[in-house]
């Protein structure tokens, strides 16, 4: 890998791409250190430690919520808009037609995604500001009070503009750098938290007081990373035979290719869906727990206990929902690809399977079987930090399931893109 990196830096165009990506990440981390005015850092730290949902948002914002910076929303509204557009594509006929129009249609859907990002960012900015104001993070700040409505509007517009700015930086990386820009932005935020997390592990007394548990914790973390790599790269190859065509005395086609069906086609999206739905009742219960109505307060406290992230029922529900959402999202992605229709249009077929509907049923059957492995693996990875923390007595925030999936997935994708660039120039790359 080091030899490949040296070879990459010897090539002017690849060196420019790598340095450009690094420069954009430096700009991102610099902007992430600029907080909005009037933030009580101690109150913000306590809020992030007690609110797991904000911890997830902090993860996807690239740790910009740690000091409630001007880009505190991160690229999460854009990710939400992308997921919404993927879910709406098979439902809305116009979007379905655009998805079949190739690069031009995808560009139009991407434009709609950008438009949807703005109102979602405004809505999320209002939710963040309201939560920060009620928790005392924003000192002497009543959201949209008679004396602060102009400051409130400026705050919402600033946070929204910060999201748009980060999405723009991500697209600059995609066009002129190496890797998927938005994913690289999220990866940069997670990696930026790594030194401080390791420092807390060492200086907080956990390493010296529980040496065996810490070593076991780190060993299990390495095993999880190996498992994520294997499942991410795992695929079932379906052979495809292309029919021969004779034109003007020449024979075209007739080759054999394959369809790679991935074991985990859904990626980390099921984790996002599951944790968002599970944390919502707990957040609502926390707001209602201060109600003056006795029965409402008791109900809210009961809901908060049931949906406590550190409870066993929550983890069981988390596992079941991750498995269910993995199947749900995988089938949505598979239906959008229209593989059977594309094969029939190209004159290709799977040996032993009739084209058309029979091919679609066969591919669906195979995908459902291999997705079982991916779904169970995602479910285990989702609850494994809780199990490991109970066994070893060590809890480290950067070893969450979502962060590991993001880091490993983005690293593999970036290495593969750099590998392709090196192979085009006859250099040996990362992947043997």
């Amino acid at each position: 890998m080091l030899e490949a990196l040296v070879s990459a830096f010897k090539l002017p165009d690849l060196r420019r791409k790598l340095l450009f990506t690094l420069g954009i990440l430096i700009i991102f981390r610099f902007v992430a250190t600029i907080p909005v005015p009037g933030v009580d850092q101690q109150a913000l730290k306590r809020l992030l430690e007690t609110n797991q949902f904000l911890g997830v948002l902090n993860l996807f914002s690239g740790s910009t919520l740690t000091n409630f910076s001007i880009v505190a929303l991160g690229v999460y509204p854009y990710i939400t808009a992308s997921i919404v557009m993927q879910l709406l594509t098979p439902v809305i006929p116009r979007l379905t037609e655009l998805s079949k129009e190739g690069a031009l249609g995808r560009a139009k859907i991407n434009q709609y995604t950008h438009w949807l990002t703005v109102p979602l960012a405004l809505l999320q900015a209002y939710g963040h500001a309201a939560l920060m104001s009620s928790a005392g993070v924003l000192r002497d700040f009543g959201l949209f009070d008679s004396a602060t409505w102009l400051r409130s509007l400026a705050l919402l517009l600033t946070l929204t503009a910060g999201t748009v700015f980060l999405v723009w930086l991500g697209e600059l990386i995609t066009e002129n750098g190496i890797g998927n820009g938005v994913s690289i932005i999220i990866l940069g935020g997670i990696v930026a938290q790594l030194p401080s997390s390791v420092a807390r592990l060492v200086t907080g007394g956990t390493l010296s007081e529980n040496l065996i548990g810490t070593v076991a914790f780190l060993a299990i973390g390495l095993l999880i990373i190996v498992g994520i790599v294997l499942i991410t790269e795992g695929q079932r190859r379906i052979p495809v035979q292309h029919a021969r065509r004779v034109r003007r005395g020449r024979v075209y086609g007739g080759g054999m290719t394959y369809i790679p069906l991935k074991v985990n086609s859904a990626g980390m999206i099921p984790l996002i869906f599951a944790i968002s739905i599970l944390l919502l009742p707990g957040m609502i219960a926390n707001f209602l727990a201060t109600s003056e109505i006795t029965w409402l307060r008791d109900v809210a406290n009961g809901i908060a206990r049931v949906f406590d992230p550190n409870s066993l029922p929550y983890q069981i529900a988390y596992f079941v929902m991750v498995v269910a959402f993995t199947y749900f999202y995988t089938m949505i992605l598979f239906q959008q690809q229209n593989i059977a229709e594309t094969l029939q249009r190209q004159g290709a077929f799977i040996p032993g399977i009739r084209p058309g509907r029979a091919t679609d049923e066969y591919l669906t059957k195979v995908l459902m079987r291999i997705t079982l492995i991916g779904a169970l693996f995602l479910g285990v990875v989702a609850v494994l930090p809780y199990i490991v923390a109970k066994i070893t007595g060590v809890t480290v925030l950067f070893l969450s399931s979502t962060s590991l999936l993001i880091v490993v997935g983005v690293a593999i994708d970036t290495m593969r893109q750099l590998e392709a660039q090196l192979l085009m120039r006859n250099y040996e790359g990362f992947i043997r």
Side-chain angles (χ1 to χ4, degrees), residues 35 39-50 54 64-69 132 135-138:
V39 176
D40 187 342
Q41 293 295 336
Q42 295 299 323
L44 178 61
K45 183 180 179 180
R46 290 192 300 269
L47 180 63
L48 291 178
E49 291 176 351
T50 57
L54 287 180
T64 57
L65 198 59
T66 304
N67 57 350
F68 200 44
S69 68
M132 297 299 177
V137 175
L138 295 175

Side-chain angles (χ1 to χ4, degrees), residues 296-349:
L296 183 60
R297 185 171 61 252
D298 294 339
V299 171
N301 291 330
I303 294 176
R305 286 192 297 270
V306 172
F307 288 93
D308 181 11
N310 295 319
S311 64
L312 182 60
Y314 177 91
Q315 297 297 327
I316 295 175
Y318 191 16
F319 176 85
V320 173
M321 294 190 69
V322 167
V323 173
F325 278 125
T326 300
Y327 272 100
F328 172 73
Y329 194 70
T330 298
M331 294 311 300
I332 287 180
L333 293 179
F334 176 73
Q335 292 174 2
Q336 292 179 2
Q337 294 173 354
N338 297 317
I339 297 178
E341 181 181 342
T342 302
L343 292 177
Q344 189 174 19
R345 187 168 56 249
Q346 295 176 351
F349 61 94

Side-chain angles (χ1 to χ4, degrees), residues 118-373:
V118 176
L120 288 178
L122 277 172
L123 183 62
Q124 186 173 335
Y126 180 83
H128 275 61
L131 181 60
M132 297 299 177
S133 178
S134 62
V137 175
L138 295 175
R139 293 188 294 266
D140 300 327
F141 187 84
L143 192 62
F144 284 107
D145 286 347
S146 58
T148 63
W149 68 269
L150 187 58
R151 287 177 54 196
S152 301
L153 180 62
L155 175 62
L156 300 189
L157 294 179
T158 299
L159 293 176
T160 303
T163 293
V164 176
F165 178 69
L166 289 187
V167 172
W168 177 65
L169 290 182
E171 293 185 345
L172 286 179
I173 294 177
T174 303
E175 295 175 2
N176 305 309
I178 294 291
N180 181 280
V182 174
S183 300
I184 293 292
I185 292 292
I186 299 175
L187 176 65
I190 297 175
V191 174
Q193 290 180 313
L194 185 60
S196 60
S197 298
V198 174
R200 285 195 299 268
L201 180 65
V202 175
T203 61
T206 303
L207 184 60
S208 59
E209 297 174 0
N210 190 6
L211 180 60
I212 298 178
T214 303
V215 173
F217 186 87
L218 296 178
I220 294 174
L222 291 176
L223 291 177
I224 294 175
I225 293 175
V226 173
I228 291 175
V229 173
L230 294 176
I231 294 298
T232 302
E233 293 295 289
Q235 57 182 232
R236 168 78 180 274
R237 296 184 175 184
I238 307 297
V240 175
Q241 179 70 47
H242 292 265
R244 294 183 178 181
R245 299 179 182 179
V246 179
R247 293 183 179 178
R248 297 181 181 179
R250 295 184 178 181
V251 179
Y252 297 90
M256 178 73 76
T257 58
Y258 62 87
I259 301 173
L261 296 180
K262 301 189 68 175
V263 175
N264 179 23
S265 303
M268 62 182 179
I269 301 301
L271 294 172
I272 301 174
F273 282 173
I275 201 168
S276 299
I277 293 177
L278 284 175
L279 290 178
L280 183 60
M283 288 188 62
I284 297 176
N286 289 332
F287 284 114
L288 297 179
T290 58
S291 175
E292 297 180 356
I293 304 176
T294 305
W295 67 268
L296 183 60
R297 185 171 61 252
D298 294 339
V299 171
N301 291 330
I303 294 176
R305 286 192 297 270
V306 172
F307 288 93
D308 181 11
N310 295 319
S311 64
L312 182 60
Y314 177 91
Q315 297 297 327
I316 295 175
Y318 191 16
F319 176 85
V320 173
M321 294 190 69
V322 167
V323 173
F325 278 125
T326 300
Y327 272 100
F328 172 73
Y329 194 70
T330 298
M331 294 311 300
I332 287 180
L333 293 179
F334 176 73
Q335 292 174 2
Q336 292 179 2
Q337 294 173 354
N338 297 317
I339 297 178
E341 181 181 342
T342 302
L343 292 177
Q344 189 174 19
R345 187 168 56 249
Q346 295 176 351
F349 61 94
I350 299 175
I353 307 297
R354 298 186 61 176
R357 183 174 181 179
T359 298
D360 184 69
E361 292 176 352
Y362 172 76
L363 292 176
T364 302
K365 183 179 179 181
V366 173
L367 186 64
M368 292 289 286
R369 288 179 176 178
I370 64 175
T371 300
L372 176 63
I373 301 175

Side-chain angles (χ1 to χ4, degrees), residues 370-388:
I370 64 175
T371 300
L372 176 63
I373 301 175
L376 292 177
F377 176 80
L378 280 182
V380 170
V381 169
V383 301
L384 197 56
Y386 168 80
I387 299 175
V388 173

Side-chain angles (χ1 to χ4, degrees), residues 19-34 62 64 69-71 162 165-166 168-170 172-173 184-185 188-189:
L19 293 178
F20 181 85
T21 303
L22 181 60
I24 294 296
L25 286 176
I26 292 175
I27 294 175
F28 159 60
R29 294 312 306 167
F30 174 76
V31 176
T33 60
I34 306 175
T64 57
S69 68
I70 58 176
V71 290
F165 178 69
L166 289 187
W168 177 65
L169 290 182
L172 286 179
I173 294 177
I184 293 292
I185 292 292

